[in-house]
């Protein structure tokens, strides 16, 4: 229970009063909660204000000079001028073993933690929780007070490329952000289902089959299915474009019969017929398409693995049942959500969502004149199906902001159909564009090409420092991981919604807030650990009261924020919340090395500092893995 764990932790601290348990107080996993609880109890005694109001009002600070925790006094909802209230309360403030007596003349009451006890709380907690430090699995419980009721389930749909089409920047960002969000929810104790919703259905796959018969090579397909299918697709698409031009020319010249003949027997028509065979379930037509799909997935899996990503399900547009779509369209008609318009079926949102919002949602088509369903229709059906299949508590779509309208439309239609509950569990996590993403071979088309190119570039950067380069055991593999880290960190540095420029030079630099910088910080901590060569027992027995230097104290204070940072990220769903913190922490860390040497220090100090660096390594390693990076131990 909470009380037990508080007792266990605080037993290490002499003369500390017992700490009261509160809802959402997890002292075992989050050292900050010990302070929250302690400050809440003091304030409650002084003010009589309900602890339920005080506890959640205590916030983290943006920088250490503002304290370790802060209370915005207005959040307590009591009458009076905040600064005056503070003065009255502070007169009654008791001596605390954990926090300094606060002072203020603003509406904020800042708390500074006493350094001695903080070291003794933070370092053992980080080391005990290890790879789990920062995670709070209670978060994902259906009922936090009763773990036997099980976990909440979240479906995260991300990446979702189109077969035989380029893997563009939008897919890259969706992959990176989606992978991160999946890790985040998993760390928070949710049952996470990762779904890749492939673009794998439509007339273009009939066209691709035609193209393969003409231009395809089994050998090339086996070797690199993704690139080969794209090449084939480009060639056959060119034929269709030429054919269209020819038809237009013939029509213009009045040769209508010839134009019609070309329309009836051309590549485009053949593709349409082939796709018709596919939708009718023709075994041969489907077998070829399935081979393209399976081979592409196999290849994608290899690339995803390099990014530490795996999917539980490769769904896709092809997997949406025609039957269920027909039923939904029928229901839309019956409920008056959809209406006929020039032979097609449309949703006029102005009729269903009054005022400006309705207008903004426009009038999308849900069924074409020829009876075929659209991208929009598939998404409606797929969401309902997903809910039935996974019974999720939440479903996240990681899709570019270019598709904001599309997502709003299908969420709204699901709601109008009467599934308010499902619609309310669906959430769009969007993001901006990547500008200028190109490789040396031209505009970037495939994930593999991008990663290889950045890896090559990284290799060159490494070669510039010859002495260091010679010490790297496996330079290619290291360059590869550094390259991937460069791309990922650049992508996650800003807020998701912002566009950014794909800049090979800046992202691969070891200076500035980059992936290589983080990797370097990690490798350096690993190297310090190896050189110190202390046993686990030696580190565990360290006298932490020796950590008195300002650099040590500030590092401990920053490290103590980590579990709160993860909690906050569950609110922002922004990878930059994690990254900003990791850079802040590594800056404090790197400025401390000169002041907190290990080699040459006397044994007691050596052990204490090693315990501190170990806590820093745990936080950095956990943060990097949460982002999806592969932390390097040497470089
Ligand atoms: N395949 C789509 C594209 O490349 C993205 C799919 C996004 N997911 C969805 N459920 N619509 O644009």
């Amino acid at each position: 229970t909470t009380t037990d764990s508080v007792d266990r932790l605080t037993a290490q601290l002499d003369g500390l009063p017992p700490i009261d348990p509160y809802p959402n107080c997890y002292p075992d996993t989050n050292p900050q909660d010990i302070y929250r609880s302690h400050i809440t109890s003091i304030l409650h005694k002084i003010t009589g204000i309900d602890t339920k109001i005080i506890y959640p009002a205590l916030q983290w600070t943006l920088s250490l000079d503002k304290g370790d925790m802060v209370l915005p006094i207005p959040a307590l909802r009591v009458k009076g001028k905040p600064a005056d209230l503070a003065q009255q309360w502070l007169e009654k403030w008791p001596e605390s073993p954990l926090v300094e007596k606060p002072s203020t003349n603003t509406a904020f009451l800042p708390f500074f933690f006493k350094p001695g006890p903080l070291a003794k709380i933070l370092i053992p907690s980080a080391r005990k929780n290890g790879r789990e430090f920062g995670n709070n699995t209670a978060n994902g419980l259906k009922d936090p007070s009763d773990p036997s009721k099980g976990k909440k389930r979240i479906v995260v749909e991300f990446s979702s490329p189109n077969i035989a089409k380029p893997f563009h920047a939008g897919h890259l960002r969706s992959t990176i952000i989606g992978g991160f969000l999946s890790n985040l929810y998993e760390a928070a104790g949710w049952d996470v289902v990762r779904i890749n919703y492939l673009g794998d259905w439509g007339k273009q796959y009939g066209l691709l089959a035609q193209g393969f018969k003409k231009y395809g090579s089994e050998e090339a397909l086996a070797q690199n299915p993704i690139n080969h299918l794209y090449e084939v697709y480009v060639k056959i698409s060119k034929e269709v474009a030429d054919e269209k031009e020819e038809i237009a020319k013939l029509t213009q010249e009045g040769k209508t019969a010839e134009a019609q003949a070309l329309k009836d027997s051309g590549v485009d028509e053949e593709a349409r017929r082939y796709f018709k065979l596919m939708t009718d379930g023709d075994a041969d037509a489907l077998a070829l398409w399935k081979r393209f799909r399976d081979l592409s997935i196999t290849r994608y899996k290899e690339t995803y693995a390099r990014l530490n990503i795996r999917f539980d399900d490769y769904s896709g547009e092809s997997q949406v049942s025609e039957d269920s779509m027909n039923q939904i369209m029928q229901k839309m008609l019956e409920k008056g959500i959809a209406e006929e318009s020039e032979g097609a079926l449309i949703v006029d949102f102005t009729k269903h969502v009054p005022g400006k919002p309705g207008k903004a949602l426009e009038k999308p088509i849900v069924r074409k004149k020829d009876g075929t369903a659209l991208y929009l229709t598939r998404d409606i059906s797929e969401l309902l199906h997903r809910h039935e299949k996974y019974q999720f508590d939440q479903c996240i779509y990681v899709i570019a902001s270019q598709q904001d309208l599309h997502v709003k439309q299908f969420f709204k239609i699901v709601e109008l159909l009467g599934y308010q509950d499902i619609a309310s569990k669906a959430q769009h996590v969007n993001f901006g564009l990547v500008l200028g993403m190109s490789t040396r071979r031209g505009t970037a088309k495939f994930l593999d090409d991008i990663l290889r190119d950045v890896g090559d570039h990284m290799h060159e950067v490494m070669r510039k420092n010859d002495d260091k380069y010679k010490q790297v055991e496996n330079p290619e593999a290291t360059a590869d991981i550094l390259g991937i880290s460069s791309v990922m960190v650049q992508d996650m540095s800003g807020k998701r919604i912002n566009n950014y420029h794909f800049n090979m030079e800046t992202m691969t630099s070891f200076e500035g807030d980059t992936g290589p910088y983080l990797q370097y910080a990690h490798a350096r901590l690993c190297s310090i650990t190896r050189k110190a060569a202390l046993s686990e027992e030696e580190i565990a027995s360290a006298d932490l009261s020796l950590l008195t230097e300002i650099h040590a104290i500030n590092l401990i204070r920053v490290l103590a924020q980590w579990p709160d940072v993860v909690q906050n990220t569950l609110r922002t769903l922004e990878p930059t919340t994690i990254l900003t913190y990791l850079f802040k922490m590594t800056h404090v860390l790197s400025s401390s090395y000169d002041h907190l040497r290990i080699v040459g220090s006397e044994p007691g100090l050596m052990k204490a500092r090693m315990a501190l660096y170990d806590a820093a390594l745990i936080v950095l390693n956990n943060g990097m893995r949460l982002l999806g990076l592969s932390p390097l131990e040497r470089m």
Side-chain angles (χ1 to χ4, degrees):
T1 70
T2 317
T3 327
D4 289 341
S5 53
V6 176
D7 287 348
R8 249 181 288 132
L9 263 173
T10 51
Q12 307 166 30
L13 302 165
D14 307 327
L16 201 70
I19 284 170
D20 301 321
Y22 294 110
N24 293 319
C25 178
Y26 301 98
D28 236 2
T29 52
N30 186 353
Q32 302 273 77
D33 284 356
I34 295 176
Y35 289 84
R36 260 191 206 95
S37 164
H38 178 67
I39 296 169
T40 300
S41 300
I42 294 179
L43 276 167
H44 172 67
K45 253 179 230 139
I46 294 176
T47 65
I49 298 169
D50 193 343
T51 56
K52 282 197 209 64
I53 295 178
I54 304 173
Y55 189 88
L58 288 163
Q59 295 173 2
W60 52 84
T61 59
L62 291 178
S63 56
L64 294 181
D65 58 306
K66 306 243 166 25
D68 294 285
M69 203 166 264
V70 63
L71 177 75
I73 297 167
L76 298 184
R77 290 175 268 157
V78 277
K79 277 206 199 89
K81 243 181 92 192
D84 294 347
L85 289 169
Q87 286 328 305
Q88 292 165 26
W89 298 341
L90 293 181
E91 274 162 29
K92 299 181 211 156
W93 194 266
E95 177 67 26
S96 148
L98 289 183
V99 292
E100 311 283 1
K101 182 174 175 179
S103 75
T104 184
N105 44 33
T106 71
F108 294 88
L109 199 52
F111 298 98
F112 287 84
F113 299 169
K114 289 188 172 170
L118 180 59
K120 292 182 189 173
I121 291 175
L122 180 270
I123 295 175
S125 173
R127 286 174 32 80
K128 188 192 86 209
N129 286 294
R131 288 170 80 85
E132 297 296 321
F133 183 57
N135 298 356
N136 181 358
T137 49
N139 212 297
L141 292 176
K142 278 196 173 11
D143 178 356
S145 64
D146 183 2
S148 74
K149 290 199 177 129
K151 297 175 173 189
K152 286 188 279 190
R153 175 175 287 167
I154 186 165
V155 170
V156 185
E157 184 217 281
F158 63 105
S159 196
S160 309
N162 306 320
I163 286 171
K165 300 259 187 76
F167 188 102
H168 57 66
H171 302 125
L172 177 72
R173 295 209 72 185
S174 174
T175 307
I176 293 173
I177 296 167
F180 161 70
L181 291 176
S182 306
N183 296 342
L184 180 68
Y185 277 94
E186 206 156 69
W190 289 63
D191 173 14
V192 181
V193 181
R194 294 159 167 88
I195 291 188
N196 198 328
Y197 182 68
L198 297 171
D200 59 355
W201 201 241
K203 201 179 85 180
Q204 65 267 35
Y205 296 97
L207 188 62
L208 183 66
Q210 301 301 110
F212 193 73
K213 283 179 197 152
K214 259 189 161 154
Y215 305 111
S217 137
E218 284 296 338
E219 207 188 320
L221 182 68
Q223 212 171 41
N224 194 337
I226 293 174
N227 291 36
H228 183 57
L229 289 176
Y230 177 64
E231 280 163 19
V232 167
Y233 188 71
V234 168
K235 283 185 191 156
I236 195 77
S237 299
K238 171 94 175 43
E239 274 193 37
V240 173
D242 291 348
E243 183 178 287
K244 279 210 174 107
E245 230 173 79
E246 182 65 20
I247 293 171
K249 209 177 111 208
L250 290 170
T251 316
Q252 218 175 23
E253 290 166 359
K255 299 177 183 164
T256 31
E258 282 171 52
Q260 193 57 47
L262 197 51
K263 258 191 208 165
D264 291 344
S265 64
V267 193
D268 200 39
E269 175 57 20
E270 268 181 51
R272 199 193 60 76
R273 277 190 220 143
Y274 195 95
F275 182 59
K276 179 85 175 46
L277 285 178
M278 286 165 62
T279 50
D280 290 347
D282 179 273
D284 289 341
L286 281 175
L288 183 62
W289 163 84
K290 189 167 183 307
R291 208 147 62 83
F292 293 161
R293 186 183 196 268
D294 289 349
L295 286 169
S296 300
I297 291 177
T298 306
R299 175 48 71 97
Y300 270 129
K301 280 185 182 163
E302 290 165 21
T303 310
Y304 289 135
R306 296 173 66 190
L307 304 175
N308 303 314
I309 284 169
R310 53 163 187 84
F311 287 93
D312 298 291
D313 191 8
Y314 281 82
S315 165
E317 293 174 35
S318 67
Q319 305 302 299
V320 181
S321 110
E322 295 289 329
D323 264 1
S324 77
M325 281 193 292
N326 287 332
Q327 279 170 27
I328 285 167
M329 287 190 277
Q330 194 54 41
K331 196 165 171 190
M332 286 168 78
L333 268 171
E334 282 164 16
K335 290 195 149 219
I337 301 166
E339 60 196 270
E340 305 267 357
S341 168
E342 295 170 40
L345 204 58
I346 65 155
V347 177
D348 180 351
F349 278 108
T350 54
K351 293 182 185 162
H352 311 293
V353 187
K356 228 174 150 187
K359 216 167 180 177
L361 287 176
E362 300 178 5
K363 295 181 190 173
I365 303 178
V366 285
R367 189 179 64 204
K368 286 203 274 193
K369 237 195 260 178
D370 65 6
T372 49
L374 287 105
Y375 182 52
L376 182 63
T377 334
R378 289 185 192 280
D379 261 323
I380 300 164
S381 191
E382 169 78 4
L383 176 52
L384 300 181
H385 166 75
R386 238 174 242 181
H387 188 260
E388 201 174 283
K389 180 166 176 185
Y390 294 109
Q391 298 292 321
F392 57 72
D393 296 282
Q394 207 179 327
C395 178
I396 284 183
Y397 289 83
V398 189
I399 311 179
S401 59
Q402 284 157 309
Q403 296 192 29
D404 279 359
L405 177 63
H406 165 79
V407 177
K408 280 199 188 108
Q409 287 171 339
F410 87 80
F411 283 3
K412 194 74 206 174
I413 293 174
V414 167
E415 191 189 309
L416 291 172
L417 280 166
Y419 305 104
Q420 286 90 349
D421 169 51
I422 299 178
S424 71
K425 292 176 187 169
Q427 184 182 7
H428 181 196
V429 172
N430 61 358
F431 52 83
L433 306 170
V434 186
L435 308 168
M437 193 167 87
S438 60
T439 67
R440 274 166 251 196
R441 293 161 201 87
T443 330
K445 292 214 168 61
F446 298 102
L447 185 50
D448 265 342
D449 299 335
I450 300 162
L451 298 183
R452 188 189 45 204
D453 229 55
V454 182
D456 287 351
H457 188 91
M458 202 64 236
H459 202 171
E460 277 164 32
V461 174
M462 286 162 64
R463 273 208 195 99
K464 283 185 192 144
N465 189 337
D466 202 44
D467 288 346
K468 259 202 175 157
Y469 183 77
K470 280 186 195 136
Q471 288 168 28
V472 182
E473 259 172 61
N474 193 343
E476 270 87 17
T478 306
D480 194 57
I481 291 181
L482 284 174
I484 291 170
S485 307
S486 306
V487 174
M488 293 178 72
V489 168
Q490 171 173 259
D491 193 276
M492 298 192 275
S493 285
K495 279 209 171 157
R496 284 186 276 103
I497 199 65
N498 294 342
N499 300 341
Y500 72 86
H501 282 271
F502 193 83
N503 188 328
M504 198 85 98
E505 295 299 325
T506 22
M507 76 166 101
T508 54
S509 169
F510 282 93
E511 276 143 46
D513 291 347
T514 64
Y517 176 85
L518 275 192
Q519 289 285 11
Y520 176 75
H522 186 269
R524 184 164 181 184
L525 279 173
C526 291
S527 153
I528 289 172
T529 309
R530 283 192 301 270
K531 283 198 189 115
L534 294 178
S535 70
E536 178 51 38
E537 291 73 45
E538 284 173 304
I539 303 176
S541 69
D543 176 3
L544 301 174
S545 66
L546 296 174
L547 298 169
T548 53
E549 299 84 355
I550 185 73
H551 287 92
I553 292 166
N554 281 343
L555 184 54
I556 295 165
R557 293 173 68 202
V558 178
L559 292 173
Q561 297 170 346
W562 171 241
D564 267 8
V565 169
V566 180
Q567 283 304 302
N568 190 25
T569 310
L570 280 161
R571 264 182 289 267
T572 65
L573 300 186
E574 294 278 1
T576 184
T577 310
I578 301 281
L579 261 182
T580 305
Y581 168 81
L582 289 183
F583 285 121
K584 180 167 86 177
M585 191 278 275
T586 46
H587 292 160
V588 175
L589 178 67
S590 68
S591 67
S592 73
Y593 287 132
D594 279 348
H595 306 274
L596 307 175
R597 292 182 175 283
I598 293 213
V599 182
S601 299
E602 60 92 15
L605 215 46
M606 200 166 152
K607 281 197 262 178
R609 289 178 178 171
M610 195 54 238
L612 172 58
Y613 286 143
D614 192 42
L617 179 57
I618 287 166
V619 168
L620 181 55
N621 184 282
N622 291 1
M624 289 173 77
R625 284 184 299 107
L626 196 58
L627 293 170
L629 305 173
S630 311
L632 285 168
E633 292 185 6
R634 294 167 200 267
M635 62 187 262

